[in-house]
Amino acid sequence: MVDCDNFYPNCEKNFMPAWKDRPVGVLSNNDGCLVARSNELKEAGIPMGAPYFKYREQLQAMNAVIVSSNYALYGDMSSRVMTTLGQFSPDIEVYSIDEAWLDLSGFDPATLDAYGREIVTTTKRHTGIPISMGIAPTKVLAKIANRICKRRKIPGHVFNLGSVENLDVVLSTIDVGDIWGIGKRWSKKLRASGIYNARDLRDADPERMRKQFNVVMQRITLELQGFPCLGFEDIQTKKQIIASRSFGERVKSLGPLLEAVAMHATRAGEKLRAQGSVCGAIQVSIRTGRHNPNEAYFRESALAKFPVATADTRRLIKGACQGVKQIYRKGPRYAKAGVMLLDISPAQMVQGSLFETGDSTRSAALMATVDQINQFHGRKTLFFAREGVKQAWSMKRSMTTPAYTTRWEDIPVVS
DNA sequence: TCTGGGGTCCTAGGACCC
DNA sequence: TCTGGGGTCCTAGGACCC
């Protein structure tokens, strides 16, 4: 299990040497929460997901650099890291923007630690991004190894659970809630039945865990015992595609909601076609803010089904707008809108209908053309009028950094 | 006043089929 | 008076992950 250290802050520090020794925090979309923190911020006790406005003064006092999120940069740096990692293993599963599984089975166990350290130094040299590695016979154990690697700040950034002498002691330092796959609810229930750490769970009876919880818990237990239950996965096609955003400011009227869901439907459609799929339905949702106790929470969603599965943005927009008109109520101050594409299947295998026509070849050609133009000349070179032109409701991002690696004008100059 | 945006898997229960 | 046995599909909700 390979995991980038403080990935977003390190992407930013990479291109801004002056920030090297300063605390760096990255905000969520709309500059709402802190979603990534450098070590200094973690050590200062700033929690993950902290609302920015509540911590602004403390952060200022620390002389912290706070930036809006720059996903163009993080996505590009991520693919550089993944490409480097891929050169070291016959099989790699990219698990998230900053994590990957490498298959090291068949390698000589005696050489694994050194090999791991080579992977770490090469990745750092090629990308500037520091990584940590946990090695073990199963995914759940490798996650634990990775955690220990970071917690103990192991020199070389590699921790191999296979070369540990006293595994029982190591496992008993891992709180049950820190095991991959066990969240708040389950850890509470586990503790109530006397299971407090990874060692306790490893020694539990898998059958009993299945009865008491479910098959997922049984698999975690077996993985802790060293029996692999989770294989390498190859997820290129999503089963659902979501596009949603909070508004820069609250929205009350129907017009902006229609523009917003049209834009989200357009983005979702791009993602859908990029993976060669069509969808059978689109769900739209709108909601108010969740945190104001003096304001009633309102949320509603609507589902539009397509008689024949589609990947045509015009149909997606139509479905989304119909849905919004159905559920819109006057009064609430809306904070967020979004769409979800469902019932996704391959574009080559569309079930026709006796009474309705599906996407024509002209439709497919049109969408492909729009996608190509936007890819080549930049996003929104062509857009749908329904998305609106001014988009006064769009999200706030007041502290953006340059797209250092993906926009010609932003490429840093070295002098 | 201001609090993100994506995803997955599993289970239970209802409705239906022969 | 007595009333079988074997399935599928769909949806909502819960739990988890980054």
Side-chain angles (χ1 to χ4, degrees):
Chain A
M1 152 61 29
V2 171
D3 175 312
C4 300
D5 300 344
N6 307 327
F7 183 54
Y8 297 173
N10 276 327
C11 288
E12 301 286 356
K13 288 189 183 196
N14 241 342
F15 292 91
M16 195 56 96
W19 293 353
K20 187 167 169 282
D21 297 316
R22 285 179 66 184
V24 173
V26 179
L27 299 174
S28 60
N29 277 319
N30 230 21
D31 293 343
C33 307
L34 274 153
V35 291
R37 303 151 295 156
S38 64
N39 279 340
E40 298 89 342
L41 297 183
K42 289 180 183 173
E43 280 156 18
I46 312 258
M48 170 69 176
Y52 177 46
F53 73 92
K54 284 190 182 173
Y55 287 86
R56 186 173 296 152
E57 284 172 20
Q58 188 184 344
L59 292 165
Q60 255 163 21
M62 292 176 68
N63 192 29
V65 177
I66 303 297
V67 295
S68 301
S69 45
N70 183 347
Y71 282 98
L73 175 64
Y74 312 147
D76 184 60
M77 292 307 295
S78 171
S79 65
R80 291 169 189 230
V81 169
M82 298 307 169
T83 304
T84 305
L85 293 176
Q87 291 162 5
F88 287 94
S89 161
D91 198 4
I92 172 172
E93 177 189 337
V94 177
Y95 179 62
S96 75
I97 195 162
D98 71 335
E99 283 175 88
W101 306 98
L102 301 187
D103 185 2
L104 300 179
S105 54
F107 286 70
D108 177 3
T111 65
L112 281 182
D113 289 68
Y115 193 57
R117 286 193 292 273
E118 190 190 333
I119 297 176
V120 171
T121 50
T122 307
T123 306
K124 172 83 176 163
R125 191 167 63 236
H126 286 190
T127 66
I129 300 292
I131 61 173
S132 296
M133 182 182 300
I135 304 176
T138 69
K139 280 185 166 179
V140 170
L141 287 172
K143 270 275 188 183
I144 288 176
N146 183 284
R147 188 180 187 84
I148 294 169
C149 180
K150 287 192 162 176
R151 194 173 63 189
R152 292 199 201 159
K153 300 196 167 123
I154 305 280
H157 289 223
V158 177
F159 188 74
N160 183 354
L161 216 50
S163 49
V164 159
E165 282 175 17
N166 204 338
L167 189 59
D168 282 12
V169 174
V170 172
L171 288 182
S172 51
T173 66
I174 301 293
D175 189 90
V176 78
D178 291 334
I179 299 170
W180 185 52
I182 295 179
K184 259 190 177 158
R185 300 286 167 88
W186 283 5
S187 53
K188 197 173 165 195
K189 199 173 160 189
L190 283 167
R191 269 189 271 272
S193 62
I195 294 169
Y196 300 99
N197 57 51
R199 182 185 172 183
D200 296 339
L201 184 57
R202 181 202 64 186
D203 294 338
D205 174 27
E207 282 299 332
R208 211 191 96 218
M209 299 320 289
R210 180 176 194 141
K211 280 190 191 117
Q212 214 177 324
F213 293 85
N214 59 15
V215 66
V216 177
M217 188 64 83
Q218 182 186 30
R219 290 203 275 249
I220 294 171
T221 310
L222 287 166
E223 285 249 327
L224 284 171
Q225 295 175 4
F227 302 107
C229 302
L230 307 169
F232 268 58
E233 282 167 39
D234 199 10
I235 317 164
Q236 339 82 331
T237 52
K238 305 275 185 225
K239 297 171 181 176
Q240 53 185 42
I241 291 172
I242 297 173
S244 68
R245 283 282 179 280
S246 300
F247 298 119
E249 281 167 13
R250 297 288 191 261
V251 160
K252 296 198 75 171
S253 58
L254 182 58
L257 289 178
L258 290 170
E259 290 184 2
V261 297
M263 181 186 79
H264 297 320
T266 305
R267 262 193 59 218
E270 284 166 5
K271 293 192 205 173
L272 183 71
R273 293 188 295 275
Q275 65 169 38
S277 303
V278 292
C279 72
I282 184 169
Q283 180 180 281
V284 295
S285 54
I286 53 178
R287 67 165 176 81
T288 59
R290 285 178 302 178
H291 302 282
N292 186 346
N294 303 318
E295 195 174 4
Y297 182 48
F298 174 73
R299 65 169 179 168
E300 190 58 85
S301 66
L303 184 72
K305 293 188 177 179
F306 301 111
V308 181
T310 182
D312 188 316
T313 296
R314 294 167 297 178
R315 283 198 157 111
L316 301 178
I317 289 179
K318 203 169 171 184
C321 288
Q322 275 171 3
V324 170
K325 285 177 192 160
Q326 273 172 38
I327 56 182
Y328 172 74
R329 258 181 34 194
K330 215 173 162 181
R333 296 163 62 237
Y334 296 98
K336 182 176 177 177
V339 309
M340 187 178 347
L341 305 184
L342 304 159
D343 202 1
I344 289 173
S345 56
Q348 312 86 353
M349 294 173 29
V350 176
Q351 171 65 52
S353 158
L354 274 178
F355 308 110
E356 308 271 351
T357 53
D359 294 350
S360 60
T361 43
R362 285 171 63 90
S363 149
L366 176 61
M367 289 303 123
T369 306
V370 170
D371 289 340
Q372 274 171 35
I373 289 174
N374 283 337
Q375 215 170 47
F376 191 82
H377 293 284
R379 284 173 91 169
K380 300 202 174 179
T381 302
L382 286 181
F383 63 95
F384 291 82
R386 213 355 155 188
E387 298 179 66
V389 180
K390 284 167 76 179
Q391 299 193 329
W393 40 266
S394 64
M395 67 172 170
K396 282 184 300 199
R397 288 164 86 236
S398 58
M399 295 158 277
T400 49
T401 49
Y404 298 108
T405 62
T406 53
R407 197 156 74 204
W408 290 112
E409 311 90 81
D410 290 356
I411 292 179
V413 176
V414 179
S415 45

